[in-house]
């Protein structure tokens, strides 16, 4: 044979695992992106297509989710050690396991009340602005994107239209997560008016947006969006209009029944964080009597 097989490895990459544990009203999140790469006696599968030594990548994925449920996630390192040891010691043909883990950190959103189940992902959002001047009038539209938030409870979705293509199960306690993209228009339009304190305004808009997200018991992301928008308009006199584009970042409970593990209570639940497709919920909230001027498509701004 004029060729020989060199280094090879295989496994399921980027398993998005979210585990929520509940300590009364205080919830804790572990949010990981786990990639498995296995190597060992894999000549046959490459040379002849014999799968006799191949533990399916699908199984490596299931193992990640089942371990999250069964053994918990103390730290990324501990979880990685546990998985790597499992693959190498339980499968004779596998001699090496490389587990790569990215961990996403979340901070609590401080809101009113006892509930502690609202989080904002660490790492800064991007702050945006667009300033337009025609010699007489100003238009300032500011905003942000990539502000990722999650409520690990206080979200339901049911009572929706069902037609012959509807398979979605009604949800009475689900995760609500989104990455907020928003633009808001200031009512400062001419030099005769006092200019807002832009930095203080940004902080205020963001704070009210986050609080409204945390404090809304949600029956839909649409309802949460409206609450976020109206809170900003009520609390920030300098803003007349706000538009949101909110992807509904779906978290699906993983079916662990085949492995004899129950994953049907929200406590200690393991979710698969899906990145696409996603619901996309968009709307403008206006001060009553004001005109809508922010473009429908926020990418055009
Ligand atoms: O908050 C939601 N709004 C929807 O319109 C919708 N549609 C869907 O499938 N899930 C959800 N969730």
């Amino acid at each position: 044979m004029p060729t020989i097989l060199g280094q090879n490895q295989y496994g399921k990459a980027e398993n998005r695992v979210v585990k929520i544990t509940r300590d009364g009203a205080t919830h804790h999140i572990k949010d990981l992106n786990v990639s498995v790469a296995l190597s060992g006696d894999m000549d046959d599968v490459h040379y002849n297509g014999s799968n006799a030594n191949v533990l399916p990548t699908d199984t490596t994925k299931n193992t990640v989710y089942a371990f999250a449920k069964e053994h918990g996630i103390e730290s990324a390192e501990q979880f990685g050690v546990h998985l790597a040891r499992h693959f190498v010691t339980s499968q004779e043909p596998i001699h090496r396991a490389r587990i790569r883990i990215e961990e996403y950190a979340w901070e609590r959103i401080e809101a009113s009340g006892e509930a502690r189940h609202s989080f904002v992902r660490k790492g800064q959002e991007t702050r945006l602005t667009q300033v337009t001047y025609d010699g007489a009038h100003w238009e300032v539209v500011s905003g942000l994107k990539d502000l990722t938030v999650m409520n690990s409870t206080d979200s339901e979705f049911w009572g929706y239209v069902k037609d012959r293509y509807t398979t979605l199960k009604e949800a009475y306690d689900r995760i609500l997560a989104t990455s907020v993209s928003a633009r808001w228009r200031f009512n400062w339009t001419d030099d005769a008016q006092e200019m807002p304190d832009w930095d203080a305004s940004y902080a205020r808009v963001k704070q009210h947006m986050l609080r409204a997200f945390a404090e809304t018991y949600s029956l839909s992301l649409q309802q949460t969006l409206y609450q976020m928008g109206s809170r900003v308009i009520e609390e920030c006199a300098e803003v007349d209009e706000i538009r949101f584009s909110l992807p509904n970042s779906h978290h699906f409970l993983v079916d662990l029944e085949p492995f004899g593990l129950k994953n049907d209570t929200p406590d200690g639940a393991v979710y698969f964080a899906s990145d696409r497709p996603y619901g996309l919920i968009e709307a403008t909230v206006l001060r009553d009597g004001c005109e809508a001027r922010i473009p429908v498509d926020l990418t055009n701004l």
Side-chain angles (χ1 to χ4, degrees), residues 5-245:
L5 178 67
Q7 197 283 339
N8 61 92
Q9 56 192 16
Y10 80 107
K12 198 71 96 194
E14 305 216 40
N15 299 285
R16 292 283 288 101
V17 188
V18 173
K19 180 158 192 183
I20 307 288
T21 40
R22 297 183 171 202
D23 177 9
T26 302
H27 292 194
H28 304 276
I29 301 190
K30 276 286 178 186
D31 184 355
L32 307 182
N33 190 12
V34 181
S35 295
V36 176
L38 307 177
S39 40
D41 298 332
M42 298 295 156
D43 284 6
D44 270 359
V45 61
H46 291 92
Y47 287 135
N48 317 312
S50 164
N51 293 323
N53 285 353
V54 177
L55 181 73
T57 66
D58 189 66
T59 307
T60 68
K61 173 199 72 185
N62 290 344
T63 309
V64 169
Y65 287 105
F67 271 41
K69 177 72 191 175
E70 213 168 2
H71 308 293
I73 303 167
E74 223 173 84
S75 62
E77 289 81 359
Q78 167 271 337
F79 195 57
V81 165
H82 206 150
L83 282 166
R85 180 181 291 126
H86 166 80
F87 290 120
V88 173
T89 59
S90 67
Q91 297 298 323
E92 237 237 349
I94 293 170
H95 303 161
R96 184 174 179 273
R98 189 203 66 200
I99 313 295
R100 285 191 172 157
I101 302 179
E102 292 176 356
E103 177 164 3
Y104 308 117
W106 294 81
E107 275 172 356
R108 270 179 213 292
I109 300 173
E110 294 309 330
S112 66
E114 296 290 292
R116 288 163 57 77
H117 58 249
S118 301
F119 305 89
V120 56
R121 210 164 109 170
K122 268 198 193 165
Q124 277 308 304
E125 75 280 4
T126 303
R127 179 173 163 179
L128 308 161
T129 196
Q130 170 179 289
V131 177
T132 316
Y133 183 52
D134 64 4
H137 295 104
W138 295 95
E139 185 190 71
V140 181
V141 177
S142 294
L144 54 77
K145 62 178 181 180
D146 301 328
L147 179 69
T148 305
V149 291
M150 176 192 292
N151 282 326
S152 54
T153 190
D154 284 7
S155 166
E156 306 185 11
F157 187 66
W158 49 269
Y160 42 79
V161 172
K162 294 167 192 87
D163 72 2
R164 59 185 287 226
Y165 302 112
T166 305
T167 56
L168 185 73
K169 297 256 178 312
E170 299 201 317
Y172 297 91
D173 190 356
R174 66 173 185 173
I175 286 182
L176 186 68
T178 186
S179 188
V180 179
S181 183
R183 306 288 185 277
W184 51 91
R185 184 172 54 76
F186 289 90
N187 48 32
W188 180 77
T189 54
D190 62 77
D191 287 306
Q193 273 174 284
E194 198 189 336
M195 210 187 269
D197 175 338
W198 305 109
D199 285 348
S201 173
Y202 181 81
R204 193 160 52 240
V205 169
K206 181 178 156 190
Q207 184 197 51
H208 287 295
M209 208 186 270
L210 287 176
R211 286 212 180 144
F213 175 81
E215 291 166 9
T216 301
Y217 189 107
S218 177
L219 299 174
S220 65
L221 184 52
Q222 288 89 329
Q223 182 199 19
T224 295
L225 179 155
Y226 188 75
Q227 289 299 318
M228 292 164 74
S230 52
R231 184 83 69 100
V232 169
I233 299 292
E234 278 161 26
E235 300 288 341
C236 306
E238 69 279 17
V239 174
D240 274 355
E241 177 187 5
I242 182 163
R243 183 164 179 83
F244 292 95
S245 179

